[in-house]
Amino acid sequence: MSRQADDGDVLAIAETWAKAGRRLAIATVVETWGSAPRPVGSHLVIDDEGNFEGSVSGGCVEGAVVSEAVEVIGDSRPRLLSFGVADETAWRVGLSCGGRIRIYVEPLTA
Amino acid sequence: MDLKLLSTLNGLRRERRAAVVVTRLADGAARLVTEGDDLAGDPLRAEIAAAFRSGRSGVVAGPDGEVFLAAEVPPPRIVAVGAVHISQAMVPIVRAIGWDLVVVDPRTAFASPERFPGVQLHADWPETVLPGLALDPYTALAAVTHDPKIDDFALVHAVERGCFYVGALGSRKTNARRRERLVGSGLTEADFEAIRAPIGLDIGAASPAEIAVAVVAEIIETFRRRTIGTPS
C-alpha cells in the first residue's frame, strides 16, 4: 500500500540477489519536478545481465536506467541521471505537462 | 551503498525501526542513521531530524556537495481498543490518510466483520492480542471502550512499548479513578501524565464521528510534532 512498503520489497530483493553472488546496482529517484509518476525514494534494482525489479517511472525511462546501471556495475562509479518524462506518459496520466526526474544509480559494493 | 549497510537497513525495516540513509551524491559514500542516534555534532542534524519526522526523502545541501537523505520509516498505524461507534467512524478517516488501523475488542458482538468490513480485527482480549502486534514507536493506541477490564492492560502495555501516542476515552472523573488504579501498579506518575485523556483534540466534538475526527487529528499532531534524535 505505502511507498515505504514498495521500496522495502526492492531493497529486500537487492539483498537477496547480492547474497546469491549477483553483481548489482540500485537506482533511486532523488528529485522530481512536475508530473513524475514515481515519488522520490522509489528504487529499481538491476543486475549485470540487465534483470531488474521495482520502478523509477511509469516504465518510460527504465530501459535507459538499466543500460546505465550495467555500466555502473562495470566501473563501480555512481551516476546521477536526469530525464524529462516522456510526453506520452504525461498524457496517459491525464496531465498536459511532462515532468522531470533525477535518478541516482550506484553500485552495491561488497 | 555496500551490502553490509543494506543488510542492516533491511533488518531495521523488518523490526519497524526508522532509519535515514545519508548518501553523498558526488561519490556514493553512504552512512546509516537510526532513530535515537545522537545527532549532536552532525552537520545535517536538522535535515535528518526533518526526514525522520516527515518520512520524506530528498536532496539537501551538505558540507561537501549534494546529499540524498533516504527516509526509511515504518508506516504509522493506529490500534483502537474497542470496536465501538467511534472506532467505526475512524475507519474511513484512517483509510483516507493512508495509515493502518487495527481494532481489538473481546466482545464478539462489537468486533464483528459486519461492523468493520476490511479492517484488521481481533475479537479477543488485549492481553492476548497486543503482544503479538509488536506495538512500537510508530504505533498509536486509542482505548475507547470505557471499560477498565478492557482498556487498562492496553494502556499500560502501550506505554511500556513506547507507542508515540496513548489516549483513553472518559471524563476527568473517570480518568481520576484510572489514575488510582494504574499509578503504582504498572505506571509511574509521569507515564500516566503522558496518556491523553480525555482522548482527542478539544474541538467540542459531540457525535461519535466528530470524536473520531478529534482523536485522529490528535494522533496526527502528536506524530508529526514528536521530538526526534534526542535520548528518551
Side-chain angles (χ1 to χ4, degrees):
Chain A
M1 171 202 84
S2 68
R3 168 166 60 85
Q4 290 95 336
D6 290 352
D7 295 346
D9 293 342
V10 176
L11 294 179
I13 289 165
E15 185 178 347
T16 306
W17 285 9
K19 287 183 172 165
R22 291 159 76 168
R23 300 171 65 220
L24 53 96
I26 296 173
T28 306
V29 178
V30 296
E31 272 186 298
T32 65
W33 297 263
S35 62
R38 292 284 287 148
V40 170
S42 303
H43 295 296
L44 186 69
V45 55
I46 308 101
D47 76 5
D48 60 352
E49 294 178 350
N51 300 300
F52 65 93
E53 290 285 349
S55 70
V56 289
S57 77
C60 48
V61 305
E62 268 77 0
V65 173
V66 167
S67 56
E68 287 280 349
V70 172
E71 289 184 29
V72 166
I73 295 167
D75 66 16
S76 290
R77 287 172 51 189
R79 288 160 174 68
L80 192 53
L81 312 175
S82 289
F83 295 96
V85 175
D87 287 339
E88 55 268 33
T89 301
W91 181 82
R92 184 166 53 75
V93 297
L95 297 164
S96 58
C97 58
R100 220 151 44 88
I101 52 179
R102 280 214 296 173
I103 297 175
Y104 192 61
V105 187
E106 59 182 317
L108 184 73
T109 51
Chain B
M1 186 188 292
D2 62 28
L3 179 56
K4 186 164 169 286
L5 191 151
L6 178 64
S7 297
T8 307
L9 176 64
N10 283 338
L12 291 167
R13 297 184 53 90
R14 282 191 296 273
E15 294 166 17
R16 279 181 59 87
R17 289 179 62 198
V20 172
V21 183
V22 181
T23 304
R24 191 164 61 194
L25 295 187
D27 60 3
R31 63 188 170 99
L32 187 63
V33 181
T34 305
E35 185 163 4
D37 285 357
D38 185 6
L39 291 176
D42 194 310
L44 295 172
R45 58 184 296 182
E47 292 84 352
I48 292 169
F52 274 120
R53 206 159 34 235
S54 67
R56 288 201 192 95
S57 304
V59 175
V60 300
D64 41 16
E66 281 187 317
V67 172
F68 181 62
L69 303 182
E72 299 286 347
V73 304
R77 66 177 165 175
I78 298 173
V79 175
V81 173
V84 297
H85 202 161
I86 294 170
S87 35
Q88 281 182 298
M90 284 168 67
V91 173
I93 302 170
V94 176
R95 195 166 284 151
I97 62 173
W99 293 22
D100 293 332
L101 178 67
V102 182
V103 177
V104 181
D105 196 321
R107 301 167 298 182
T108 50
F110 286 70
S112 74
E114 291 73 27
R115 284 162 48 81
F116 290 88
V119 173
Q120 190 188 333
L121 189 64
H122 297 273
D124 209 335
W125 289 89
E127 287 87 326
T128 309
V129 175
L130 296 189
L133 291 179
L135 306 193
D136 61 30
Y138 288 83
T139 305
L141 184 126
V144 291
T145 71
H146 254 134
D147 183 343
K149 288 199 304 297
I150 303 172
D151 284 352
D152 280 5
F153 170 85
L155 293 170
V156 174
H157 183 73
V159 169
E160 286 172 346
R161 296 288 310 178
C163 289
F164 72 86
Y165 173 97
V166 185
L169 195 68
S171 65
R172 289 174 207 289
K173 211 166 114 189
T174 305
N175 202 47
R177 285 199 295 274
R178 183 182 292 126
R179 178 191 299 270
E180 285 170 21
R181 290 194 308 274
L182 299 187
V183 172
S185 62
L187 295 185
T188 65
E189 186 73 36
D191 286 340
F192 188 81
E193 283 305 315
I195 296 175
R196 308 292 287 264
I199 197 169
L201 293 184
D202 185 6
I203 56 172
S207 68
E210 289 174 8
I211 296 169
V213 169
V215 170
V216 175
E218 186 173 67
I219 291 171
I220 293 170
E221 178 186 50
T222 308
F223 185 71
R224 294 300 174 196
R225 297 203 168 138
R226 73 202 194 286
T227 311
I228 296 295
T230 50
S232 52

